[in-house]
Amino acid sequence: MHPKSVRLRIIISIVSVLFLSVGIYLYIRQYLAKQNKAVETAVIERGERENIYSMGEYMDQSNTDSFLVSLDLTPKDNPTDPGKPAMIRALGSDSPAAYLPFSCERIHATKEQGICIRQSDADELATEVLVFDAAGKVDIVATTDGHPNRARISPDGKYAGYTSFTSGDGYDAVGFSTRTYLVDVENKKLVDSLENFELINEGKVINPIDKNYWGVTFYQDSNHFLATVMFGGIPYLVDGNIKDKRLTVMAKEIECPSISPDEKRIVYKKRGGNAGWQLYAMDLKSKALTPLAEPISVDDQAEWLDNENILYVRYNATAGKVNTMSLPADGSGTPQVFAENTFSPAVIR
Amino acid sequence: MYQVESSQAIFKSKANLWKSLKRYMGSTVFTLGLTSLFTDISSEMVSTILPLYLVLSLHISPFQYGVIDGLYQGASILVRLLSGFLSDRFQRPKEIAAAGYIFSALNKIGFLVGGTTFAAIGALVLLDRVGKGIRTPSRDALIAASSKDDNLATSFGVHRAMDTFGAMAGPLLAVFILSRLPGAYPVVFAVSMGFALIGVLVILLFVPSTKKVKTDAPKLGVSEIYKLFRLPRFGLLVAGTSLLALVTISDSFIYLTLQKMFVIPPSSFPLLYIVVAATFMVLAIPLGRLADKYGRARVFIFGYLLLAGIYAALRLPVLPSFVLPLILLGMGLFYAATDGVLTAMASKLLPSHIRATGLSLLATGSGLAKLISSISFGYLWGQSGISLAFTVFLAGFILVLTGFIYYLRKK
């Protein structure tokens, strides 16, 4: 390996470096292409399901106006799937449900678009955030830290919010910590983390070290939203404004709020005595509270089916089942199974 | 692990640096420096993201990580035996050094191609560390052989400077890549491999083979070890150093803990190493002066007490965010206060004819201790959680440190 002249050696080295650079460049290109394809192909590779549609296709061919988008928990054969398969079904109709071409840990959608968050393949501790539209286009908006937990999109489809657990694996865990981001769905990018918003309590700006945010829910005016903040061990309802990047504490002991379609009430969960949560409805004008008729602890952010009833997920450990339940929001009635083996319900009206 | 050479060598030769630098372009020292530069960019790129890659992407358990980290630290033992043997048999430092660099390049290729199982990673880490250990004495001999007596320090200074630059640039490059492409560890490996191969190219094409040069690699045979332990206080120093290394927690565990606690994004993880290394470099000389003024032992103990404080802080589940830079500065300060002090103390105790071998024994002892330390810490973490692991090590640490203080007071 010792050609005599220096010039020859320099030529050899330049050529080698060129080859190396080109090779590495091509490798990076191929790697990136694989990542982008991953969203579309890895998705359809899952299992041998035939009836995969985009949201729009499915909605076009059914004759109802309301749909349920959710995640399917029927046991499947694919352990490497980074989420649960997304499904759509027509409500009030006999048409069979169909699959959407991706899988998620949490999904929420409107007629035109939706948000899907799931565990990142490349990094166990990261959340991959996808937005999709009715035509079936899927885009990765961001990869942020933490395990995906909650996601909501605004009724007008402009904004979405999602929460990841960055440490601890439950709201009860010691050292629990969350990160909540707002997503600009139209422009497919992150707005900001709620941690960077100004937090106001009783007229004063506060900044507790241990603050954690989760459970975003939007008004029709998507600039306006509600969420939960916890500091000093107590959860509070906060009212948020995206343009002003401000959050104002409204009430105590309210977690995972969900705004009704007519914006008259919210349903939320409140910690009970047995390390569980009780569902409540609150009238936004009168602030009257009504406990809902579900005796079992519910650790979920409820989704309104219509102005009278809500949907939420009940975990039945003994039967090994996770079902979406429906319940009247006025404290009456009893919980009914709305959809079996279904998780993360999102109602499209 | 991620060790940046102290800046002393550079600063000592600063006067001659610019003039000599112009003379050096094209010289063997410079090309060896280039090789080191590229190779360091390559290996530090990978070593600073390896903890995250292993734990987050490959999902290995803390115990397994402890084993890998231990291998990383303790592979030097294996090397010492090998390199002394090799250099005596072959006496061809360029070829040996080139082989070492080639091993490291192969290591990067290995990560790219198949580094996904625990066994594969362990083998790759060993390959890399053995390669490094093999080439260092040969390379140093080459540098020495290519310099005259009067610019020996400058040669080494230049070389170390290029080394250090590479060691800083590598992690920064990793940060750049990961921040643009989150989770793209294979891309980091690919780029790292490119740099490693360029380094190999430089040494193969541009460094002339010297005629037989004696390398200074100390042989660590049984008779040498016996002689060393006959020295009155040296044996005690080796034991003490090894004990101290046994209860010291490896940097990468601390960084992993910091990452969890302060939610540091993976792309910023290598910055932890850089900040600590930079702090160390800046503070090394001032701390050295302090040590000369107030006594080495005092500064040494101060450094270790600081480390104990850091361990104690990391036992807590939550810390306010301003503590993070404090901890990083503290670690840099710790290294500045303690790095080289042990070597200095040992050198004083060793007669010159056996000094290199003695230092080698010292390093081997602590290498072995660090191997055990990392495996134990990983085991404790996996079984009982971070907090308990820190508590156990803190307790041991305080115990050993107290013993050390007592021993040093007696002198």
Side-chain angles (χ1 to χ4, degrees):
Chain A
M1 253 273 203
H2 257 309
K4 292 285 171 138
S5 95
V6 176
R7 192 176 295 174
L8 184 59
R9 279 186 258 164
I10 293 184
I11 293 178
I12 294 181
S13 48
I14 292 182
V15 169
S16 315
V17 171
L18 274 174
F19 260 111
L20 258 179
S21 319
V22 168
I24 292 181
Y25 172 72
L26 289 177
Y27 177 83
I28 296 181
R29 276 271 298 266
Q30 175 233 30
Y31 175 83
L32 288 178
K34 239 192 336 166
Q35 293 302 91
N36 286 332
K37 273 241 153 275
V39 173
E40 301 157 20
T41 58
V43 176
I44 300 182
E45 273 170 35
R46 268 195 324 283
E48 253 66 48
R49 281 168 281 130
E50 255 116 52
N51 56 336
I52 297 182
Y53 292 88
S54 70
M55 229 172 31
E57 278 174 325
Y58 184 84
M59 294 197 284
D60 281 342
Q61 56 152 17
S62 70
N63 45 16
T64 63
D65 275 335
S66 22
F67 303 87
L68 181 74
V69 165
S70 61
L71 299 177
D72 178 26
L73 285 172
T74 321
K76 292 284 192 306
D77 276 328
N78 200 337
T80 57
D81 198 332
K84 288 85 177 157
M87 287 185 77
I88 181 168
R89 83 188 72 189
L91 293 176
S93 142
D94 281 334
S95 354
Y99 290 97
L100 296 174
F102 37 81
S103 62
C104 319
E105 277 298 318
R106 196 70 69 152
I107 192 172
H108 203 245
T110 63
K111 211 183 203 94
E112 303 285 324
Q113 59 274 100
I115 178 174
C116 159
I117 59 175
R118 59 196 201 164
Q119 188 170 303
S120 163
D121 261 337
D123 193 336
E124 165 193 280
L125 267 193
T127 297
E128 216 167 55
V129 185
L130 311 177
V131 298
F132 57 94
D133 66 12
K137 184 157 188 300
V138 183
D139 287 289
I140 298 185
V141 167
T143 306
T144 59
D145 292 296
H147 196 79
N149 183 255
R150 302 242 180 260
R152 277 288 140 109
I153 189 169
S154 63
D156 65 5
K158 282 222 192 99
Y159 288 105
Y162 72 93
T163 302
S164 308
F165 276 122
T166 46
S167 94
D169 48 11
Y171 295 112
D172 284 336
V174 173
F176 131 93
S177 167
T178 63
R179 272 279 184 284
T180 297
Y181 287 89
L182 292 177
V183 180
D184 177 343
V185 177
E186 271 178 308
N187 297 313
K188 304 191 177 48
K189 60 187 180 72
L190 291 184
V191 172
D192 204 349
S193 154
L194 286 189
E195 304 270 325
N196 296 331
F197 275 43
E198 189 178 64
L199 179 62
I200 298 185
N201 188 16
E202 289 169 356
K204 284 191 305 216
V205 176
I206 59 170
N207 193 5
I209 323 169
D210 62 340
K211 67 184 180 197
N212 279 304
Y213 294 98
W214 69 87
V216 173
T217 178
F218 290 89
Y219 282 91
Q220 304 280 354
D221 165 18
S222 56
N223 184 49
H224 188 193
F225 63 94
L226 297 177
T228 310
V229 69
M230 168 132 95
F231 53 88
I234 304 177
Y236 301 85
L237 178 72
V238 281
D239 183 291
N241 182 309
I242 298 185
K243 284 206 182 61
D244 298 338
K245 292 211 168 169
R246 181 177 307 141
L247 300 154
T248 312
V249 174
M250 304 287 277
K252 242 178 159 180
E253 288 174 7
I254 293 186
E255 293 182 51
C256 286
S258 178
I259 299 174
S260 63
D262 58 12
E263 298 191 351
K264 289 199 182 138
R265 291 182 284 178
I266 61 170
V267 160
Y268 62 93
K269 64 183 198 194
K270 174 180 163 134
R271 275 164 212 241
N274 300 327
W277 286 271
Q278 168 73 45
L279 284 175
Y280 279 83
M282 173 165 95
D283 185 303
L284 283 174
K285 261 224 182 71
S286 70
K287 305 288 195 283
L289 302 180
T290 314
L292 302 189
E294 166 67 272
I296 303 179
S297 166
V298 173
D299 180 4
D300 196 20
Q301 184 178 23
E303 164 80 345
W304 289 81
L305 177 59
D306 49 38
N307 285 316
E308 270 72 49
N309 300 286
I310 60 163
L311 299 177
Y312 59 95
V313 173
R314 183 198 264 179
Y315 301 87
N316 188 335
T318 38
K321 270 187 171 229
V322 179
N323 294 329
T324 294
M325 315 292 290
S326 70
L327 184 67
D330 59 3
S332 67
T334 51
Q336 306 289 323
V337 175
F338 188 77
E340 284 198 342
N341 280 319
T342 301
F343 182 70
S344 189
V347 176
I348 299 181
R349 290 169 259 278
Chain B
M1 202 167 139
Y2 173 66
Q3 258 288 301
V4 175
E5 310 283 351
S6 114
S7 41
Q8 304 210 4
I10 309 170
F11 286 124
K12 243 184 244 169
S13 51
K14 209 170 180 177
N16 297 327
L17 204 58
W18 184 235
K19 223 200 307 179
S20 325
L21 211 51
K22 294 173 71 183
R23 245 194 301 153
Y24 279 122
M25 306 281 277
S27 80
T28 307
V29 171
F30 182 74
T31 47
L32 279 174
L34 269 187
T35 304
S36 282
L37 177 78
F38 287 122
T39 310
D40 267 9
I41 293 182
S42 159
S43 50
E44 299 310 336
M45 252 176 99
V46 168
S47 72
T48 53
I49 58 138
L50 206 59
L52 283 189
Y53 173 66
L54 293 178
V55 175
L56 295 187
S57 207
L58 297 186
H59 319 312
I60 68 173
S61 71
F63 173 63
Q64 288 174 316
Y65 183 75
V67 173
I68 302 273
D69 187 67
L71 276 179
Y72 200 97
Q73 313 239 34
S76 61
I77 310 169
L78 198 63
V79 168
R80 254 161 255 285
L81 305 175
L82 258 178
S83 79
F85 167 75
L86 274 178
S87 64
D88 279 351
R89 278 294 293 276
F90 293 110
Q91 297 216 6
R92 287 171 139 275
K94 183 208 157 172
E95 279 69 19
I96 296 179
Y101 284 112
I102 291 177
F103 277 14
S104 296
L106 286 177
N107 161 261
K108 303 300 176 295
I109 298 177
F111 268 116
L112 206 55
V113 167
T116 46
T117 66
F118 174 63
I121 306 270
L124 286 171
V125 165
L126 267 177
L127 182 67
D128 179 57
R129 290 288 101 188
V130 166
K132 174 150 197 190
I134 285 180
R135 68 184 187 237
T136 310
S138 301
R139 180 199 67 195
D140 286 348
L142 272 177
I143 297 177
S146 317
S147 328
K148 306 189 198 49
D149 276 334
D150 61 342
N151 54 24
L152 198 63
T154 317
S155 296
F156 276 102
V158 168
H159 190 266
R160 294 292 186 262
M162 297 180 84
D163 233 10
T164 309
F165 177 77
M168 294 283 197
L172 282 176
L173 191 53
V175 168
F176 176 73
I177 295 178
L178 285 182
S179 56
R180 291 306 176 85
L181 307 168
Y185 296 106
V187 173
V188 176
F189 291 135
V191 174
S192 162
M193 179 196 78
F195 277 102
L197 286 175
I198 296 181
V200 168
L201 205 69
V202 169
I203 191 174
L204 283 181
L205 288 181
F206 293 103
V207 174
S209 249
T210 44
K211 303 184 193 65
K212 307 214 163 167
V213 173
K214 251 186 163 287
T215 36
D216 217 355
K219 283 167 295 202
L220 209 52
V222 178
S223 63
E224 274 82 22
I225 299 182
Y226 182 65
K227 265 185 254 167
L228 285 167
F229 271 108
R230 297 270 304 277
L231 291 170
R233 299 224 217 86
F234 186 68
L236 214 59
L237 185 67
V238 171
T241 311
S242 305
L243 217 56
L244 207 55
L246 195 65
V247 289
T248 305
I249 301 174
S250 160
D251 278 357
S252 57
F253 280 120
I254 300 199
Y255 295 143
L256 281 174
T257 309
L258 290 176
Q259 191 267 337
K260 264 185 175 227
M261 200 183 277
F262 296 102
V263 193
I264 301 172
S267 60
S268 303
F269 191 76
L271 292 177
L272 296 174
Y273 292 87
I274 296 183
V275 170
V276 172
T279 312
F280 163 59
M281 275 178 65
V282 167
L283 295 176
I285 294 187
L287 263 291
R289 289 218 194 96
L290 269 173
D292 289 336
K293 217 164 158 206
Y294 293 108
R296 281 203 197 94
R298 283 215 186 95
V299 171
F300 182 79
I301 290 177
F302 160 73
Y304 271 96
L305 283 174
L306 190 60
L307 194 65
I310 293 178
Y311 289 176
L314 290 176
R315 285 181 57 239
L316 304 171
V318 166
L319 285 172
S321 49
F322 70 82
V323 176
L324 174 63
L326 286 182
I327 290 186
L328 295 177
L329 290 176
M331 285 176 75
L333 189 56
F334 158 75
Y335 280 115
T338 57
D339 186 65
V341 172
L342 276 175
T343 320
M345 285 203 281
S347 302
K348 277 179 80 179
L349 291 177
L350 292 166
S352 59
H353 70 276
I354 210 173
R355 183 167 300 150
T357 316
L359 291 178
S360 183
L361 178 66
L362 194 67
T364 307
S366 29
L368 192 61
K370 284 185 193 154
L371 170 67
I372 300 176
S373 153
S374 285
I375 297 181
S376 329
F377 191 84
Y379 178 76
L380 277 173
W381 181 346
Q383 293 289 98
S384 333
I386 298 185
S387 195
L388 187 75
F390 269 102
T391 310
V392 169
F393 269 73
L394 182 63
F397 191 84
I398 293 181
L399 215 69
V400 172
L401 193 58
T402 316
F404 234 91
I405 295 179
Y406 180 66
Y407 165 77
L408 286 171
R409 278 285 157 80
K410 274 179 77 179
K411 281 176 67 174

